[in-house]
Amino acid sequence: MLQKRRQLLSGIGAVLGQSVLGTACSTGSGKALADAPATSNGATLTVFADDALRPLNPLVLGNNLDWPHSAQGFLKENSTTPAPAYLELADRLAPTALRYPGGTNSDFYHWRNGIGPYDKRKPNKTLEGKEERIGMGTDEYLALCKRWGAEPLITINLATGSAEEAAEWVRYTNRRDNDLPRVRYWEIGNEPYLASHFKEAGMTPAEYAARANAAIRAMKAIDPSIQAGIVLRNDTLGGVESTPFKGYIDTVLKGIQTPFEFACLHSSYFPVTFEKKESEQELFTATMAGVHVMQQDMEATRAKLRQYHPNRKVQLAFTEHNALYSMDILRWGLASIFLSKTDRYIESLAGALFTADCLRVYSQTDDILMANFWSLCGNWWYGAISHEGKPRPQFHVLEAYRDLIRGSLLRTESNGIAPMATARSGFVPAQAAIPSIEAHAVREGKTLRIAILNKHPEKVQTLNIALPGVGKAKASARELGARHYFREDVKWTDRSAEIRDGRIELALGRHSFTVLTIQLG
């Protein structure tokens, strides 16, 4: 069992860069959504429309752009030109932060191979061991950042590159005269806490710390204003081993003495079933409990940072996040498209609800620098835009959050939310009672928006929303749902509503994500 878990862990980073043809969510029979009345359990959410806690951080709506395979289909083949269908959808998402040049593929990326005329560029190695010409080079990437107003985040090649190469990349992006954005944020390597699948890319935690020191010094000698992010991982997630390098975080934090400004975490892929013995409902409820493990890991990371760097204010950056269930692709390759049920659960309503829950937590957490969904397009079952250039379920959540990251976070209070027991799966231990409804509220001018998750796999629930001081107002609700959380296509359902005497009663479809929009005054 331990060996299987380690094999899966070592393969997660490897598969992220693979180009695997997929389709939209399959339609199965599933359970019909009965016209049963909503469960009335006294659940109340009070939203204080005039009590803003702090401005929202727009950088939680970041994304990832992986360079190989024509940037995972984003570019026309053998060119630097975006494919129109992909660009049209990506424009709708307009990520607020964009990480590049990949996850594991950054370990083999040499930036000089991606500049100049396309037909003059040297081929670059991919994580699959192949050579490919870079269409999505540094300038093409920064042009997209400019187009979307996205904050650039570059992950340097610490595995097979050098400190000097990283420093010259800083010089190239930040010390030349053009209209492309400067790069302020730099991630120092990618997932060195996992065993490398290529020998030349492997390093121990001590080697990572030494290389990170050298790279940060060299890069800040070119531009002292940049911010560096080091890669951290605790020994366990949810009590389960999460790195083969025991004591990784202690070794790294003791070893890195050069100033760094943020910590990069990927403790955001859940639940990851190792044994595959769970029922679909058990997998779903574990997915709904995943953010609790993520939050526990955040606090464990903060404690380690306080222990080793007590006088340094360090923000957290979730530079990759998405749902993850299994890695049958490591056993069956492309045949897993047909043989695996659980691999493709990523691109389901359950995966979309997990993404919405992550974005809720990031929005409510005040020491988050940014969060980057993995990934923008293609990329096995991960991309928000599929290999066919169509929206996947997470796309709709990410698009809805364009409105939910504007303005200020509001104070809310919840009472009477029904608790829900969840099953154990992978990194997620069984939970006796998580809230079956989660919500947060934001305000932009006269517009109030409330994002609500009904995590219950079976029950339609009623949420009574109180708005002290509001009185009467027009409202509309958009609900993202599906007849089955793993097997059915998702769709939005729209309905109008009205606030009377500062209250509204909202029926929430089972396993659904709802955005309630209220126009004040």
Side-chain angles (χ1 to χ4, degrees):
M1 177 61 190
L2 180 60
Q3 182 62 25
K4 182 188 294 185
R5 189 159 64 234
R6 286 179 172 172
Q7 289 174 346
L8 190 149
L9 283 171
S10 66
I12 287 175
V15 80
L16 295 186
Q18 295 206 24
S19 177
V20 181
L21 293 179
T23 58
C25 289
S26 59
T27 55
S29 56
K31 293 182 180 179
L33 179 58
D35 295 326
T39 300
S40 181
N41 52 14
T44 300
L45 177 74
T46 303
V47 178
F48 299 93
D50 294 320
D51 193 353
L53 300 178
R54 57 177 171 78
L56 289 156
N57 176 8
L59 299 187
V60 300
L61 198 54
N63 217 304
N64 274 271
L65 191 60
D66 197 32
W67 77 264
H69 309 295
S70 299
Q72 299 295 335
F74 188 83
L75 301 177
K76 294 179 181 179
E77 193 171 353
N78 299 321
S79 80
T80 61
T81 304
Y86 283 77
L87 184 60
E88 180 181 353
L89 288 173
D91 280 345
R92 285 168 56 182
L93 296 184
T96 54
L98 194 61
R99 179 175 177 249
Y100 167 89
T104 307
N105 276 302
S106 63
D107 288 344
F108 310 100
Y109 188 84
H110 298 286
W111 66 269
R112 289 186 181 89
N113 293 343
I115 60 174
Y118 177 78
D119 57 359
K120 303 289 187 183
R121 297 180 183 181
K122 295 180 181 178
N124 199 94
K125 184 178 179 178
T126 71
L127 65 85
E128 298 150 313
K130 300 177 180 178
E131 296 282 333
E132 183 180 327
R133 188 164 285 164
I134 299 170
M136 183 61 68
T138 301
D139 291 344
E140 290 79 18
Y141 155 69
L142 291 176
L144 287 177
C145 291
K146 179 182 176 182
R147 179 186 182 97
W148 296 326
E151 189 75 48
L153 168 65
I154 285 181
T155 302
I156 67 166
N157 178 358
L158 207 66
T160 61
S162 66
E164 293 73 23
E165 182 180 20
E168 288 305 308
W169 205 356
V170 174
R171 187 189 303 278
Y172 183 79
T173 60
N174 293 3
R175 292 293 186 230
R176 56 183 177 148
D177 185 18
N178 63 18
D179 63 351
L180 294 176
R182 290 178 63 259
V183 182
R184 182 183 183 189
Y185 299 109
W186 296 80
E187 184 176 20
I188 311 302
N190 174 75
E191 297 184 347
Y193 49 78
L194 296 181
S196 174
H197 58 294
F198 283 129
K199 184 178 180 180
E200 68 269 26
M203 68 183 102
T204 66
E207 288 171 333
Y208 171 72
R211 296 184 194 185
N213 281 327
I216 295 171
R217 279 196 299 267
M219 294 163 71
K220 289 190 174 182
I222 302 297
D223 185 350
S225 71
I226 66 170
Q227 294 196 16
I230 63 169
V231 182
L232 298 182
R233 168 60 64 97
N234 289 293
D235 282 0
T236 61
L237 288 172
V240 177
E241 181 187 89
S242 61
T243 171
F245 303 110
K246 186 174 177 59
Y248 169 89
I249 193 169
D250 298 280
T251 301
V252 168
L253 287 176
K254 281 191 290 188
I256 295 183
Q257 298 302 318
T258 50
F260 61 91
E261 288 71 36
F262 61 101
C264 303
L265 307 179
H266 291 180
S267 50
S268 44
Y269 285 115
F270 295 114
V272 190
T273 170
F274 302 122
E275 299 170 335
K276 299 183 68 173
K277 294 180 180 178
E278 305 93 337
S279 68
E280 287 185 330
Q281 183 162 307
E282 287 171 334
L283 274 178
F284 175 78
T285 62
T287 306
M288 295 299 93
V291 295
H292 294 272
V293 180
M294 183 177 75
Q295 288 174 300
Q296 291 163 8
D297 186 71
M298 291 163 68
E299 189 50 49
T301 303
R302 293 184 189 109
K304 289 290 186 181
L305 286 164
R306 289 192 297 268
Q307 177 184 347
Y308 290 104
H309 298 278
N311 300 317
R312 182 173 294 165
K313 184 178 179 180
V314 180
Q315 291 182 287
L316 305 180
F318 281 85
T319 56
E320 292 182 19
H321 67 91
N322 203 335
L324 178 58
Y325 293 92
S326 63
M327 302 290 285
D328 289 336
I329 189 173
L330 298 178
R331 293 191 292 159
W332 297 323
L334 290 177
S336 66
I337 295 171
F338 309 102
L339 297 176
S340 176
K341 287 175 56 179
T342 48
D343 273 11
R344 72 182 311 164
Y345 282 173
I346 298 168
E347 62 150 12
S348 67
L349 176 65
L353 296 183
F354 177 74
T355 295
D357 213 14
C358 286
L359 291 171
R360 173 187 65 84
V361 170
Y362 301 147
S363 296
Q364 293 177 314
T365 306
D366 62 7
D367 62 347
I368 297 290
L369 170 65
M370 71 173 65
N372 305 77
F373 176 78
W374 185 276
S375 60
L376 185 61
C377 57
N379 210 274
W380 195 42
W381 306 117
Y382 284 109
I385 303 168
S386 76
H387 293 278
E388 294 76 35
K390 304 293 184 183
R392 282 178 167 152
Q394 284 90 330
F395 178 97
H396 303 293
V397 169
L398 295 168
E399 186 177 31
Y401 256 85
R402 292 290 302 166
D403 290 331
L404 289 164
I405 57 164
R406 300 204 298 258
S408 298
L409 180 70
L410 296 178
R411 182 168 70 90
T412 61
E413 292 179 359
S414 58
N415 293 284
I417 303 296
M420 184 175 87
T422 63
R424 182 184 77 84
S425 178
F427 291 113
V428 183
Q431 305 283 311
I434 70 165
S436 60
I437 297 174
E438 294 276 17
H440 75 288
V442 304
R443 180 171 179 174
E444 181 191 18
K446 294 291 186 180
T447 303
L448 179 67
R449 298 182 176 95
I450 308 172
I452 311 163
L453 280 163
N454 178 5
K455 295 185 172 184
H456 204 287
E458 296 177 329
K459 291 183 180 179
V460 177
Q461 300 196 77
T462 297
L463 181 64
N464 298 290
I465 300 173
L467 298 151
V470 170
K472 188 176 180 179
K474 293 292 184 182
S476 62
R478 297 201 79 201
E479 181 178 280
L480 186 70
R483 293 172 67 85
H484 192 279
Y485 37 77
F486 284 136
R487 295 197 303 272
E488 302 279 345
D489 289 338
V490 304
K491 65 177 182 179
W492 285 108
T493 301
D494 296 293
R495 60 184 188 266
S496 59
E498 189 172 4
I499 310 296
R500 294 183 179 179
D501 299 322
R503 292 186 173 273
I504 184 172
E505 186 177 89
L506 198 63
L508 307 173
R510 60 182 186 172
H511 49 260
S512 64
F513 170 64
T514 299
V515 179
L516 179 68
T517 303
I518 302 165
Q519 298 300 329
L520 303 173

